[in-house]
């Protein structure tokens, strides 16, 4: 990798690797160390994506009893792993459609990618702590955009790509998914209105197993590829690949395994919110919601759109509540989710920009290592805090009672924050 070519805003490259005072061997070791930390951090993001988004596929099946909690996350993990190998269209969009690669020095780009990943991970873990199903995709994109702006200015972002492939799908996806699920739920209840409720529940629970499995497969085709795209971007920045090269198999395999492991861990706090907090859901509603989500996610993956599976799944669940006459829809919980959705990109962007600034000020591999240490410490602190009100397979399906259940109690903190003057 050359450290003296291309765009070099604010002396970024010289701060990272000063080749005038460092031997070639040490420069090479430093470059490899930085690349390794970026790849590790990318896989860590993929892992958080898995446990944060497990509820998108399995929350309704767990809530209705169609699948036992541990069986559900194991099935979802396997299908996420398989889905990651089915396509690379979304990975290509992430690798080439968000950050402007033209003329950017490799060292500067690696730091941008690293800082963006840290921003995405920290926002993912924070919203998991609150039990809020925010978008892992938008956390990643927000972190990358914030870091790119901080390092390269406004020209460091491909704004046409952001508008066409992030903003517009974010606005349309939950609306379309909700409408499809509402119509599907209405039709299901209309067709089966003469069938006793008990038989409805039993029959559609079997249907939920198939539809939830399809969502998990779709999630793998869409979300695992986002991390593939980021690692590909890092390899291009390092000089190991050119922008026109194909996706290496080891990148596909490692991303598939990371998202599968994260999914198996199970993001129980988010699963609880989606399964019990939004709608008092029945098996027919669950099947309608899951089928709608799978159809939309698979379509977006084939088109190369890095869609937020969280937005799709949440819109589908809300739509299933609207489509069933007399169903309970908790719009206050949906409102809290909406606040999280609106703040995800700017919040992750601010974290990404701050991480880039810290790495830039310290300089060299040490700057990257310090930011990595901050990431580990912050994640550990949030995990320890979550142990004060744990959510697990044993209590994930308890009745949703804001006065008693731990998850709503933590989510009320968001209400107080929003209501504060």
């Amino acid at each position: 990798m050359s450290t003296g070519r291309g765009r070099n805003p604010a002396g970024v490259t010289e701060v990272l690797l000063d080749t005038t005072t460092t031997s070639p061997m040490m420069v090479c070791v430093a470059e490899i160390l930085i690349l390794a930390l970026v790849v590790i951090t990318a896989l860590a993001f993929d892992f958080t994506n898995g446990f944060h988004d497990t509820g998108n596929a399995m929350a309704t099946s767990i809530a209705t009893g169609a699948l036992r909690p541990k069986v559900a996350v194991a099935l979802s993990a396997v299908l996420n792993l398989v889905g990651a190998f089915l396509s690379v269209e979304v990975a290509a969009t992430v690798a080439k459609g968000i950050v402007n690669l033209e003329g950017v020095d490799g060292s500067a780009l690696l730091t941008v990618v690293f800082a963006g990943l840290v921003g995405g991970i920290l926002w993912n873990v924070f919203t998991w702590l609150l039990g809020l199903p925010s978008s892992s995709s938008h956390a990643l994109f927000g972190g990358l955009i914030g870091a790119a702006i901080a390092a390269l200015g406004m020209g460091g972002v491909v704004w046409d790509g952001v508008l066409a492939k992030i903003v517009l799908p974010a606005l349309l996806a939950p609306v379309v998914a909700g409408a499809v699920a509402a119509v599907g739920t209405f039709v299901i209840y209309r067709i089966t209105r003469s069938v006793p409720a008990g038989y409805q529940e039993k029959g559609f629970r079997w249907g939920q197993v198939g539809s939830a499995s399809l969502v998990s497969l779709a999630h793998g085709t869409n979300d695992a590829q986002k991390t593939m795209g980021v690692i590909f971007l890092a390899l291009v920045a390092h000089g190991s690949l050119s922008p026109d090269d194909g996706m290496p198999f080891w990148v596909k395999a490692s991303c598939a395994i990371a998202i599968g492991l994260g999914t198996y861990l199970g993001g129980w706090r988010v699963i609880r919110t989606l399964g019990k907090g939004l709608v008092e859901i029945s098996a027919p509603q669950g099947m309608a919601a899951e089928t709608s989500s799978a159809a939309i996610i698979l379509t977006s993956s084939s088109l190369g759109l890095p869609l937020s599976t969280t937005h799709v799944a949440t819109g589908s669940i809300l739509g299933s509540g609207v489509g069933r006459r007399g169903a309970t829809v908790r719009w206050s919980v949906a409102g809290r989710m909406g606040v999280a959705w609106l703040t995800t990109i700017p919040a992750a962007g601010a974290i990404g920009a701050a991480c880039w600034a810290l790495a830039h000020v310290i300089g060299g591999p040490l700057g990257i290592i310090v930011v990595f240490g901050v990431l580990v410490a912050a994640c550990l602190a949030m995990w320890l805090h979550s142990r004060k009100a744990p959510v697990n397979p044993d209590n994930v399906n308890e009745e949703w009672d804001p006065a008693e259940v731990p998850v709503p109690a933590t989510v009320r903190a968001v209400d107080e924050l929003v209501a504060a003057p």
Side-chain angles (χ1 to χ4, degrees), residues 207-249:
Q208 275 193 278
V209 175
S211 59
S213 298
L214 193 57
V215 175
S216 294
L217 190 69
H219 184 265
T221 66
N222 199 285
D223 279 47
Q225 291 183 51
K226 293 162 189 170
T227 306
M228 293 181 200
V230 170
I231 294 178
F232 187 91
L233 191 62
L235 293 171
V236 170
H238 179 258
S240 302
L241 295 175
S242 73
D244 297 323
D245 286 339
M247 187 68 65
F249 177 79

Side-chain angles (χ1 to χ4, degrees), residues 22-417:
T22 308
S23 69
M25 178 64 72
M26 291 193 65
V27 170
C28 182
V29 171
E31 290 174 349
I32 293 173
L33 174 63
I34 293 172
L35 177 63
L37 284 176
V38 171
V39 171
I40 291 169
T41 307
L43 294 176
F45 171 82
D46 204 25
F47 181 84
T48 67
N49 191 344
F51 79 73
H52 196 285
D53 289 3
T54 308
N56 296 344
M58 292 298 174
T60 57
S61 295
I62 292 171
T64 64
L67 288 167
R68 294 194 301 275
K70 290 184 178 180
V71 173
V73 297
L75 176 61
S76 184
V78 171
L79 291 170
N80 264 279
L81 189 151
V82 172
F85 288 97
L86 297 183
S87 170
V88 293
E89 293 298 325
V90 172
T93 296
V94 175
K96 304 172 185 177
I98 306 301
V99 177
N100 188 358
L101 301 177
E102 185 177 354
V104 180
D105 183 88
S107 296
L109 184 56
L110 274 175
T111 309
V112 168
V113 172
F114 173 75
L117 286 165
V118 174
I121 292 172
L122 290 178
W123 186 253
N124 262 1
V125 177
F126 177 66
T127 51
W128 161 80
L129 177 65
L130 297 179
L132 290 173
S134 67
S135 170
S136 297
S137 306
H138 289 180
L140 172 62
F141 297 144
L144 289 173
I145 290 169
I149 292 174
L152 309 169
M154 298 299 287
V157 178
V158 183
W159 292 108
D160 290 344
V162 170
L163 178 62
K165 298 191 175 183
I166 298 177
V167 176
L168 290 180
L171 296 175
L172 294 175
V175 176
V176 173
V180 172
V183 172
T185 301
F186 175 80
V187 171
I188 285 174
Y189 276 102
R190 187 72 176 173
I191 293 173
T192 62
R193 62 185 182 278
S194 60
V195 179
Y199 287 104
Q200 280 187 4
E201 287 291 312
K202 186 176 180 180
F204 280 105
R205 282 177 185 173
W206 283 106
Q208 275 193 278
V209 175
S211 59
S213 298
L214 193 57
V215 175
S216 294
L217 190 69
H219 184 265
T221 66
N222 199 285
D223 279 47
Q225 291 183 51
K226 293 162 189 170
T227 306
M228 293 181 200
V230 170
I231 294 178
F232 187 91
L233 191 62
L235 293 171
V236 170
H238 179 258
S240 302
L241 295 175
S242 73
D244 297 323
D245 286 339
M247 187 68 65
F249 177 79
W250 72 264
V251 175
K252 295 181 184 179
S254 59
C255 290
I257 292 170
I259 200 168
L261 289 174
T263 302
Y264 181 71
L265 179 67
W268 301 109
R269 306 175 84 85
V270 178
I271 289 174
R272 175 159 177 73
T273 302
L274 281 173
K276 303 296 288 187
L278 272 178
V279 177
E280 289 297 331
I281 203 161
S282 65
Q285 290 172 262
M287 182 176 170
E290 291 160 357
T291 304
S292 302
S293 296
I296 292 170
I297 295 167
L298 286 171
T299 300
S300 70
S301 296
S302 66
L303 296 174
L305 296 177
L307 199 65
S308 168
T309 55
T310 301
H311 289 188
V312 173
T314 304
S316 295
I317 292 172
L318 285 172
S320 74
V322 172
R324 180 188 177 188
R325 181 177 299 177
T328 300
V329 180
R330 297 186 180 94
W331 293 106
S332 61
V333 177
R336 287 194 286 267
M337 292 181 189
V339 172
W341 290 1
L342 291 174
T343 55
T344 290
I345 290 180
I351 298 171
C355 289
W356 180 87
L358 179 60
H360 175 63
V361 168
I362 297 173
L366 180 60
I368 301 289
I369 293 171
V370 168
V371 174
F372 188 80
V374 170
L375 169 65
V376 173
C379 289
L380 179 61
M382 286 187 278
W383 179 79
L384 291 173
H385 184 74
S386 75
R387 307 315 299 158
K388 298 178 180 178
V391 182
N392 52 50
D394 298 324
N395 65 4
V396 71
N397 266 348
E398 289 181 1
E399 291 303 313
W400 185 269
D401 184 354
E404 299 176 8
V405 180
V407 173
T410 59
V411 172
R412 282 202 301 274
V414 178
D415 288 335
E416 294 169 2
L417 181 63

